[in-house]
Amino acid sequence: MASPLLPEIITAICACLALTGWAMVWHLSRRPHGTTRPDSPRPSAPPPGSVLPFHEATLLVDTIPGMALILGSVGQIMACNEAARTHYGNSLGALLRHPTAHSTLHSALHAPPMDDGLPAPCSTTIRLDVPVKCSVHLAMRRLPGAAGRNSLVLVLLHDRSLIQAVDRMRADFVAHASHELRTPLASLTGFIDLMKEGGDQTDQTSRTLYLEIMSQQATRMQRLIDRLLYLSQLEMKGHHHPREELEAEELFALVLGEVTPRFQHDSRRLTVTQEDSLTLLANRDEMVQVLLNLIENAIRYGTMPERTLHVRLHARRATPAEGPTSSLPGLLITVEDNGPGIAAHHLPRLTERFYRITPPSDSSHAEAGQGTGLGLAIVRQILERHGGQLHFTSTVGQGTTCHVWLPAAPLPQDQTAGK
Amino acid sequence: MRQKQHIVQRYEDELLHLRSLMEQMGGLVEHQLSLILAGIAENDGRTALQAARQDDEVDALEQKVETLAIRLLALRSPMAADLREIVACIPMAGALERMGDYASSIARRLSQMEQPLPRPARLALSEMGRLVLEHLRRIMDALAHKDANAAHAIWAADQLVDKYCEAMTADSLEQMTRHPHTIRLHISLLFIIRNLERIGDHTTNMAERVVFMVTGATLPPTRPHGHDSQPLPPGQESPSP
């Protein structure tokens, strides 16, 4: 006996099948076409009537000779060319989530078409403090055609850091120089006055002493100015990571050549050790500067009257835990001294500009007063540019160790086997 | 990087919107800190005060994140990674909102300074502020890239901020003992240092959420702290990651 409900059941089944079929077709049709690079996000379906289909837009970004990217309607990166990626790398995220960038994107998305039919361009300049100080000009224009949630905005980036850096350099230089030069200048003027007042009555010994001090102060001023300028120059090229390969052996030989005269003193000893075939990605001159500054500090603040100063320079491969990210191979260079050590509360602030530890009166050393307070700031600035890291460990009474982590150059296999 | 496409387009859009709101919040707080840094560097309270004015915007965004997250949970019944992401956004927005509060508190304090900050204090504050801002930037990037390793690194690195805070506090105390007429100034300075340190702490809270969001694992309740000089009571020793 046929159930009176049979026609209804059949209709229901048919309806279900139709629905499922429709859903499948709909879903399949929405799948992105073609494959994209693994790191580029999935393209959205080309909107109907689009003037510039998405894959062409991506191609456009790659073709642009300069830094460019394409943003989606909520600010997500849809495509980004190699130039922008390599130049801004870590800054890109911070740049795009900056409130000004966000409001510019909003204006670009809703810009009315101009006379030529293209949406009006919008632009802004953004300054970032981290990871490196930079200033970037963003120019945005909505790509014509797509609308609403499928809108795409082309962004061109121009680096304005240099202009900003020059401005800041001038301001910084005036501020620091006017402050830091005051003390040596006062001392100089003091002695000049003293000698003028004394006239011919100043005896030869005093005269020699005064001149000696004056010359020291003048040297200090000179060095301060040099270092301030050097630091500003380093800041200006903060964005360019050095890519040159440098052998640790070569680096140490250069450093040794520079510092050996300072260790001819009987009360000073320098030991240099390193593992075989260590290659880093670094600028040679700057790395020499780093090590010279660190060794100079060891001599300046590590010398104790009753003890032979022993400075050890050592380079080795870093363990993954020692680097900023565990995935990156690195080298660890340490500069160790057996000086009086540094109290723990000074350690975090050592690289601060003009931060000086007032030396205890008993170990006050003629050279300690010669410091500019910029040596370690320079070291840190150089290391930041290299993607390196610097930290200190110290035990009061036993000595201080500076640990410098630097990215290692990827070594070809045959070269490692050869040594 | 991007998740598989969701069949319901609207859901996908809402998730994107949630992420965009988090980005906006992060961007605003980063900008607040930048303004404070500029204010400190130029000794200009008015620049810093602009940071305080952005606080309402941060608060409003937190509300939006919360509402949207709840809406997503209620209507879309998200699962696995999506569920973790949406749930994690609520406390992360809370952490960002707190950071915004601390930032505006610093800004107000800077603008109300009776005497300008001495140069060494300004240099030190810029340094510490930059460190905190850098951690915030890194955690926002870790969130955007769903990078648990990066988040973990920041979680551990916050002890640098703690140490810096400790060093500056010690210095301030010494100054106050030596020059009692600067006590007023140093008390303000101590508050600013403390607020910066708290912002740093909130970046670690966010780091914990990012790790949870990506891996589903939770980080140990105590993290390596900068206070090495004061030994922790037994049982509270933080396990090294």
Side-chain angles (χ1 to χ4, degrees), chain A residues 134-135 159-168 236-237:
Chain A
C134 67
S135 181
D159 199 288
R160 295 277 167 89
S161 304
L162 203 63
I163 304 165
Q164 186 204 359
V166 170
D167 275 356
R168 201 180 49 233
M236 286 211 284
K237 46 185 180 180

Side-chain angles (χ1 to χ4, degrees), chain A residues 26-27 30 32 39 41-42 74 76 90 93-94 97-99 102 129-133 149 175-176 179-180 324 345 348-349 352-354 380 384, chain B residues 1-2 5 7 9 12-13 16 20 23-24 26-28 30-31 34 37 119-120 123-124 127 130 133-134 137 140-141 153 163-164 167-168 171:
Chain A
W26 181 76
H27 180 56
R30 295 194 41 81
D39 58 346
R42 165 186 55 77
V74 287
Q76 75 276 37
N90 285 334
R97 64 176 168 261
H98 193 283
H102 195 265
D129 285 308
V130 289
V132 264
K133 285 187 184 172
R149 53 175 296 278
H176 294 317
H179 194 274
E180 293 295 320
H345 67 275
R349 299 184 59 186
E352 209 174 289
R353 287 173 174 206
F354 304 111
R380 194 194 48 181
E384 255 177 31
Chain B
M1 198 162 83
R2 200 59 50 116
Q5 188 172 5
I7 293 190
Q9 189 59 55
E12 172 96 7
D13 282 356
L16 275 180
S20 151
E23 288 271 295
Q24 277 181 56
L28 269 173
E30 281 174 335
H31 189 224
S34 273
L37 282 180
R119 191 161 151 280
L123 287 171
E127 207 59 48
R130 220 176 146 235
L133 177 56
E134 169 67 0
R137 176 198 68 84
M140 285 309 300
D141 282 354
K163 281 184 181 164
Y164 218 97
M168 284 191 69
D171 188 48

Side-chain angles (χ1 to χ4, degrees), chain B residues 187-220:
Chain B
I187 286 177
S188 290
L189 190 60
L190 282 176
F191 273 111
I192 296 176
I193 297 167
R194 176 77 187 145
N195 282 347
L196 279 177
E197 193 256 351
R198 292 295 299 146
I199 294 178
D201 284 347
H202 278 294
T203 58
T204 67
N205 289 344
M206 285 187 70
E208 284 165 20
R209 301 294 171 176
V210 172
V211 171
F212 166 75
M213 181 178 111
V214 182
T215 65
T218 44
L219 287 170

Side-chain angles (χ1 to χ4, degrees), chain A residues 114-163:
Chain A
M114 298 190 305
D115 296 342
D116 55 3
L118 287 172
C122 303
S123 67
T124 186
T125 304
I126 291 171
R127 285 179 176 205
L128 287 186
D129 285 308
V130 289
V132 264
K133 285 187 184 172
C134 67
S135 181
V136 187
H137 181 259
L138 300 179
M140 303 192 188
R141 175 177 262 168
R142 181 162 53 84
L143 294 178
R149 53 175 296 278
N150 289 321
S151 300
L152 298 173
V153 173
L154 176 69
V155 186
L156 296 182
L157 304 102
H158 290 281
D159 199 288
R160 295 277 167 89
S161 304
L162 203 63
I163 304 165

Side-chain angles (χ1 to χ4, degrees), chain B:
Chain B
M1 198 162 83
R2 200 59 50 116
Q3 258 116 40
K4 273 176 272 149
Q5 188 172 5
H6 293 101
I7 293 190
V8 185
Q9 189 59 55
R10 183 96 190 117
Y11 173 37
E12 172 96 7
D13 282 356
E14 282 176 347
L15 253 187
L16 275 180
H17 188 215
L18 184 69
R19 285 179 198 141
S20 151
L21 287 176
M22 291 300 293
E23 288 271 295
Q24 277 181 56
M25 266 193 102
L28 269 173
V29 179
E30 281 174 335
H31 189 224
Q32 280 183 308
L33 277 175
S34 273
L35 286 171
I36 288 172
L37 282 180
I40 291 170
E42 289 151 27
N43 219 347
D44 179 6
R46 274 171 305 168
T47 313
L49 209 55
Q50 289 174 21
R53 286 195 210 107
Q54 294 192 337
D55 202 34
D56 292 344
E57 232 172 305
V58 178
D59 291 356
L61 275 171
E62 190 209 3
Q63 287 279 323
K64 277 193 196 167
V65 168
E66 224 167 79
T67 315
L68 183 58
I70 291 172
R71 186 188 148 82
L72 277 161
L73 289 175
L75 296 183
R76 313 288 181 197
S77 314
M79 309 250 267
D82 285 355
L83 175 63
R84 289 200 303 269
E85 179 176 356
I86 295 164
V87 169
C89 275
I90 300 174
M92 281 195 288
L96 282 170
E97 189 269 337
R98 291 301 299 150
M99 292 186 207
D101 284 351
Y102 288 125
S104 19
S105 154
I106 296 174
R108 269 186 229 106
R109 224 164 251 289
L110 282 172
S111 67
Q112 286 161 7
M113 283 284 192
E114 285 168 8
Q115 39 186 318
L117 280 170
R119 191 161 151 280
R122 273 192 287 134
L123 287 171
L125 271 186
S126 313
E127 207 59 48
M128 185 177 172
R130 220 176 146 235
L131 193 62
V132 172
L133 177 56
E134 169 67 0
H135 286 184
L136 176 57
R137 176 198 68 84
R138 282 168 61 190
I139 195 64
M140 285 309 300
D141 282 354
L143 169 65
H145 300 139
K146 302 207 175 9
D147 184 343
N149 287 334
H152 196 280
I154 302 156
W155 183 76
D158 184 62
Q159 56 172 317
L160 278 178
V161 177
D162 295 341
K163 281 184 181 164
Y164 218 97
C165 166
E166 215 174 289
M168 284 191 69
T169 308
D171 188 48
S172 262
L173 288 177
E174 202 185 314
Q175 296 287 331
M176 281 196 267
T177 338
R178 267 202 231 149
H179 314 287
H181 64 277
T182 60
I183 285 183
R184 201 178 271 273
L185 181 136
H186 278 284
I187 286 177
S188 290
L189 190 60
L190 282 176
F191 273 111
I192 296 176
I193 297 167
R194 176 77 187 145
N195 282 347
L196 279 177
E197 193 256 351
R198 292 295 299 146
I199 294 178
D201 284 347
H202 278 294
T203 58
T204 67
N205 289 344
M206 285 187 70
E208 284 165 20
R209 301 294 171 176
V210 172
V211 171
F212 166 75
M213 181 178 111
V214 182
T215 65
T218 44
L219 287 170
T222 43
R223 71 191 153 81
H225 229 256
H227 315 291
D228 292 339
S229 43
Q230 303 152 2
L232 292 167
Q236 274 193 29
E237 206 73 65
S238 52
S240 57

